[in-house]
Amino acid sequence: MKLEVLRVSSQKDSTNGLLFDVTTGRKFLCFTLEDEYRDNKVSGETRIPAGTYNVTLRTEGGFNQRYNDKFGSDFNKGMLWVRDVPGFEYILIHIGNTDENTEGCLLVGDSQNQNITQNKDGFIGASTNAYKRIYPPIADVLERGGTVEISYIDYDTV
């Protein structure tokens, strides 16, 4: 499976984007929110570099336990973990609404506010709904031994 994040607006505190499944064709999955672009990394306040990364399931840690409690272990097979990101650890794809809910991770949602003139923290809504929709097919590929890669593409920086 191949996923793509198209980053379209990086402002003072957030980056708005779109997530697609590009395995065959281009299928829109949801809106995304990340921390903002920075030339120099600030821990917990910087999005990951553009590039292509493997995704695996992370079955330990606090996030995994919270998602087991929230969704049950029949649904949650492990957190979607974006691997081998230079200078970053434990980058996950998860639920959240503003840049305060991420430390470099990718938040997913079914709605998105622009971050140019207002709410520069960024905002995505219906995050749980989006996660519950996109998670099963991705986790299924990984559980069956397949590979998932995600490419982050910057359309928002010069």
Side-chain angles (χ1 to χ4, degrees):
M1 175 179 255
K2 294 182 185 222
L3 304 172
E4 247 181 24
V5 176
L6 303 183
R7 293 167 164 163
V8 296
S9 178
S10 184
Q11 300 302 320
K12 181 181 176 212
D13 289 319
S14 65
T15 298
N16 285 354
L18 307 165
L19 179 64
F20 293 91
D21 178 346
V22 294
T23 308
T24 56
R26 178 172 300 279
K27 178 184 174 190
F28 174 75
L29 297 179
C30 63
F31 297 99
T32 64
L33 185 74
E34 301 172 80
D35 282 318
E36 68 274 16
Y37 170 82
R38 293 177 186 268
D39 287 328
N40 298 308
K41 180 183 175 188
V42 174
S43 183
E45 295 291 331
T46 307
R47 71 186 195 196
I48 68 171
T52 300
Y53 308 98
N54 289 320
V55 177
T56 62
L57 293 172
R58 179 171 165 76
T59 57
E60 62 260 343
F63 259 99
N64 189 61
Q65 186 57 53
R66 285 193 300 275
Y67 279 50
N68 274 342
D69 294 344
K70 182 177 180 91
F71 298 113
S73 58
D74 286 343
F75 177 87
N76 184 51
K77 306 303 180 188
M79 298 304 298
L80 299 174
W81 184 10
V82 181
R83 303 297 300 269
D84 302 320
V85 179
F88 291 79
E89 286 188 290
Y90 307 120
I91 299 301
L92 305 174
I93 299 171
H94 63 85
I95 295 167
N97 297 112
T98 73
D99 81 302
E100 296 299 317
N101 302 129
T102 180
E103 293 186 1
C105 294
L106 185 70
L107 305 180
V108 296
D110 276 342
S111 65
Q112 184 174 67
N113 290 356
Q114 57 92 358
N115 64 351
I116 298 169
T117 61
Q118 57 186 334
N119 196 7
K120 294 186 187 328
D121 289 340
F123 180 83
I124 54 174
S127 187
T128 299
N129 290 343
Y131 188 82
K132 286 168 57 175
R133 188 182 66 257
I134 71 159
Y135 177 85
I138 298 169
D140 184 57
V141 168
L142 294 168
E143 280 198 295
R144 289 185 288 114
T147 60
V148 175
E149 68 177 29
I150 187 167
S151 296
Y152 290 76
I153 302 169
D154 295 346
Y155 285 102
D156 61 334
T157 59
V158 179

